[in-house]
PDB file of all heavy atoms in Angstrom:
ATOM      1  N   GLU B   4      16.075  -3.078  45.257  1.00  0.00           N
ATOM      2  CA  GLU B   4      14.652  -3.398  45.316  1.00  0.00           C
ATOM      3  C   GLU B   4      14.390  -4.582  46.202  1.00  0.00           C
ATOM      4  O   GLU B   4      13.292  -4.778  46.687  1.00  0.00           O
ATOM      5  CB  GLU B   4      14.048  -3.610  43.921  1.00  0.00           C
ATOM      6  CG  GLU B   4      14.729  -4.585  43.041  1.00  0.00           C
ATOM      7  CD  GLU B   4      15.460  -3.893  41.905  1.00  0.00           C
ATOM      8  OE1 GLU B   4      16.070  -2.845  42.136  1.00  0.00           O
ATOM      9  OE2 GLU B   4      15.460  -4.427  40.820  1.00  0.00           O
ATOM     10  N   GLN B   5      15.411  -5.396  46.419  1.00  0.00           N
ATOM     11  CA  GLN B   5      15.238  -6.529  47.346  1.00  0.00           C
ATOM     12  C   GLN B   5      14.927  -5.968  48.729  1.00  0.00           C
ATOM     13  O   GLN B   5      14.132  -6.517  49.474  1.00  0.00           O
ATOM     14  CB  GLN B   5      16.509  -7.397  47.416  1.00  0.00           C
ATOM     15  CG  GLN B   5      16.394  -8.647  46.603  1.00  0.00           C
ATOM     16  CD  GLN B   5      16.155  -8.386  45.130  1.00  0.00           C
ATOM     17  OE1 GLN B   5      16.580  -7.384  44.589  1.00  0.00           O
ATOM     18  NE2 GLN B   5      15.442  -9.271  44.470  1.00  0.00           N
ATOM     19  N   LYS B   6      15.557  -4.880  49.058  1.00  0.00           N
ATOM     20  CA  LYS B   6      15.334  -4.331  50.414  1.00  0.00           C
ATOM     21  C   LYS B   6      13.911  -3.822  50.529  1.00  0.00           C
ATOM     22  O   LYS B   6      13.281  -3.914  51.552  1.00  0.00           O
ATOM     23  CB  LYS B   6      16.287  -3.156  50.641  1.00  0.00           C
ATOM     24  CG  LYS B   6      17.714  -3.535  50.685  1.00  0.00           C
ATOM     25  CD  LYS B   6      18.435  -2.832  51.781  1.00  0.00           C
ATOM     26  CE  LYS B   6      19.852  -3.394  51.833  1.00  0.00           C
ATOM     27  NZ  LYS B   6      20.773  -2.494  52.492  1.00  0.00           N
ATOM     28  N   LEU B   7      13.410  -3.262  49.413  1.00  0.00           N
ATOM     29  CA  LEU B   7      12.044  -2.706  49.376  1.00  0.00           C
ATOM     30  C   LEU B   7      11.789  -1.788  50.553  1.00  0.00           C
ATOM     31  O   LEU B   7      10.685  -1.447  50.864  1.00  0.00           O
ATOM     32  CB  LEU B   7      10.998  -3.839  49.431  1.00  0.00           C
ATOM     33  CG  LEU B   7      10.573  -4.426  48.085  1.00  0.00           C
ATOM     34  CD1 LEU B   7       9.372  -5.305  48.243  1.00  0.00           C
ATOM     35  CD2 LEU B   7      10.237  -3.324  47.093  1.00  0.00           C
ATOM     36  N   GLY B   8      12.846  -1.407  51.160  1.00  0.00           N
ATOM     37  CA  GLY B   8      12.669  -0.603  52.357  1.00  0.00           C
ATOM     38  C   GLY B   8      12.551   0.865  51.983  1.00  0.00           C
ATOM     39  O   GLY B   8      12.815   1.280  50.855  1.00  0.00           O
ATOM     40  N   ASN B   9      12.119   1.642  52.876  1.00  0.00           N
ATOM     41  CA  ASN B   9      12.014   3.052  52.631  1.00  0.00           C
ATOM     42  C   ASN B   9      13.192   3.718  53.320  1.00  0.00           C
ATOM     43  O   ASN B   9      13.188   3.931  54.517  1.00  0.00           O
ATOM     44  CB  ASN B   9      10.684   3.567  53.202  1.00  0.00           C
ATOM     45  CG  ASN B   9      10.393   4.958  52.708  1.00  0.00           C
ATOM     46  OD1 ASN B   9      11.217   5.556  52.053  1.00  0.00           O
ATOM     47  ND2 ASN B   9       9.203   5.410  53.026  1.00  0.00           N
ATOM     48  N   LEU B  10      14.210   3.993  52.508  1.00  0.00           N
ATOM     49  CA  LEU B  10      15.368   4.635  53.096  1.00  0.00           C
ATOM     50  C   LEU B  10      15.244   6.132  53.015  1.00  0.00           C
ATOM     51  O   LEU B  10      16.223   6.857  53.006  1.00  0.00           O
ATOM     52  CB  LEU B  10      16.651   4.181  52.381  1.00  0.00           C
ATOM     53  CG  LEU B  10      16.932   2.703  52.498  1.00  0.00           C
ATOM     54  CD1 LEU B  10      18.111   2.305  51.646  1.00  0.00           C
ATOM     55  CD2 LEU B  10      17.182   2.310  53.952  1.00  0.00           C
ATOM     56  N   GLY B  11      14.004   6.600  52.855  1.00  0.00           N
ATOM     57  CA  GLY B  11      13.775   8.026  52.894  1.00  0.00           C
ATOM     58  C   GLY B  11      14.362   8.733  51.688  1.00  0.00           C
ATOM     59  O   GLY B  11      14.109   8.375  50.548  1.00  0.00           O
ATOM     60  N   VAL B  12      15.159   9.709  51.973  1.00  0.00           N
ATOM     61  CA  VAL B  12      15.685  10.554  50.913  1.00  0.00           C
ATOM     62  C   VAL B  12      16.513   9.747  49.914  1.00  0.00           C
ATOM     63  O   VAL B  12      16.509  10.018  48.723  1.00  0.00           O
ATOM     64  CB  VAL B  12      16.519  11.690  51.542  1.00  0.00           C
ATOM     65  CG1 VAL B  12      17.378  12.362  50.471  1.00  0.00           C
ATOM     66  CG2 VAL B  12      15.627  12.686  52.211  1.00  0.00           C
ATOM     67  N   ALA B  13      17.181   8.725  50.438  1.00  0.00           N
ATOM     68  CA  ALA B  13      18.081   7.965  49.538  1.00  0.00           C
ATOM     69  C   ALA B  13      17.310   7.296  48.434  1.00  0.00           C
ATOM     70  O   ALA B  13      17.676   7.385  47.253  1.00  0.00           O
ATOM     71  CB  ALA B  13      18.858   6.939  50.357  1.00  0.00           C
ATOM     72  N   THR B  14      16.163   6.610  48.777  1.00  0.00           N
ATOM     73  CA  THR B  14      15.423   5.911  47.716  1.00  0.00           C
ATOM     74  C   THR B  14      14.775   6.884  46.764  1.00  0.00           C
ATOM     75  O   THR B  14      14.759   6.661  45.554  1.00  0.00           O
ATOM     76  CB  THR B  14      14.315   4.991  48.275  1.00  0.00           C
ATOM     77  OG1 THR B  14      13.667   5.664  49.324  1.00  0.00           O
ATOM     78  CG2 THR B  14      14.871   3.670  48.712  1.00  0.00           C
ATOM     79  N   THR B  15      14.183   7.983  47.294  1.00  0.00           N
ATOM     80  CA  THR B  15      13.518   8.889  46.367  1.00  0.00           C
ATOM     81  C   THR B  15      14.517   9.516  45.411  1.00  0.00           C
ATOM     82  O   THR B  15      14.257   9.671  44.230  1.00  0.00           O
ATOM     83  CB  THR B  15      12.740   9.998  47.083  1.00  0.00           C
ATOM     84  OG1 THR B  15      13.553  10.509  48.113  1.00  0.00           O
ATOM     85  CG2 THR B  15      11.430   9.468  47.637  1.00  0.00           C
ATOM     86  N   THR B  16      15.685   9.874  45.915  1.00  0.00           N
ATOM     87  CA  THR B  16      16.673  10.460  45.022  1.00  0.00           C
ATOM     88  C   THR B  16      17.118   9.439  44.004  1.00  0.00           C
ATOM     89  O   THR B  16      17.303   9.757  42.811  1.00  0.00           O
ATOM     90  CB  THR B  16      17.890  10.951  45.809  1.00  0.00           C
ATOM     91  OG1 THR B  16      17.425  11.578  46.995  1.00  0.00           O
ATOM     92  CG2 THR B  16      18.709  11.889  44.986  1.00  0.00           C
ATOM     93  N   LEU B  17      17.264   8.209  44.444  1.00  0.00           N
ATOM     94  CA  LEU B  17      17.677   7.147  43.517  1.00  0.00           C
ATOM     95  C   LEU B  17      16.636   6.962  42.424  1.00  0.00           C
ATOM     96  O   LEU B  17      16.946   6.884  41.256  1.00  0.00           O
ATOM     97  CB  LEU B  17      17.861   5.852  44.313  1.00  0.00           C
ATOM     98  CG  LEU B  17      18.315   4.638  43.499  1.00  0.00           C
ATOM     99  CD1 LEU B  17      19.686   4.888  42.905  1.00  0.00           C
ATOM    100  CD2 LEU B  17      18.344   3.397  44.371  1.00  0.00           C
ATOM    101  N   GLU B  18      15.337   6.897  42.883  1.00  0.00           N
ATOM    102  CA  GLU B  18      14.278   6.753  41.898  1.00  0.00           C
ATOM    103  C   GLU B  18      14.327   7.879  40.876  1.00  0.00           C
ATOM    104  O   GLU B  18      14.255   7.678  39.670  1.00  0.00           O
ATOM    105  CB  GLU B  18      12.902   6.816  42.592  1.00  0.00           C
ATOM    106  CG  GLU B  18      12.500   5.567  43.306  1.00  0.00           C
ATOM    107  CD  GLU B  18      11.330   5.819  44.236  1.00  0.00           C
ATOM    108  OE1 GLU B  18      10.744   6.942  44.188  1.00  0.00           O
ATOM    109  OE2 GLU B  18      11.020   4.938  45.022  1.00  0.00           O
ATOM    110  N   ARG B  19      14.436   9.092  41.393  1.00  0.00           N
ATOM    111  CA  ARG B  19      14.388  10.219  40.470  1.00  0.00           C
ATOM    112  C   ARG B  19      15.562  10.199  39.521  1.00  0.00           C
ATOM    113  O   ARG B  19      15.422  10.463  38.327  1.00  0.00           O
ATOM    114  CB  ARG B  19      14.383  11.532  41.267  1.00  0.00           C
ATOM    115  CG  ARG B  19      12.986  11.879  41.771  1.00  0.00           C
ATOM    116  CD  ARG B  19      12.969  13.060  42.676  1.00  0.00           C
ATOM    117  NE  ARG B  19      13.531  14.228  42.022  1.00  0.00           N
ATOM    118  CZ  ARG B  19      13.929  15.298  42.654  1.00  0.00           C
ATOM    119  NH1 ARG B  19      13.879  15.366  43.967  1.00  0.00           N
ATOM    120  NH2 ARG B  19      14.420  16.338  42.002  1.00  0.00           N
ATOM    121  N   ALA B  20      16.724   9.812  40.043  1.00  0.00           N
ATOM    122  CA  ALA B  20      17.900   9.795  39.180  1.00  0.00           C
ATOM    123  C   ALA B  20      17.756   8.744  38.084  1.00  0.00           C
ATOM    124  O   ALA B  20      18.003   9.017  36.901  1.00  0.00           O
ATOM    125  CB  ALA B  20      19.157   9.544  40.009  1.00  0.00           C
TER     126      ALA B  20
END
Side-chain angles (χ1 to χ4, degrees):
Chain B
E4 53 252 39
Q5 259 60 30
K6 294 223 174 158
L7 272 191
N9 193 354
L10 297 173
V12 165
T14 41
T15 45
T16 319
L17 181 63
E18 283 165 9
R19 279 173 57 197

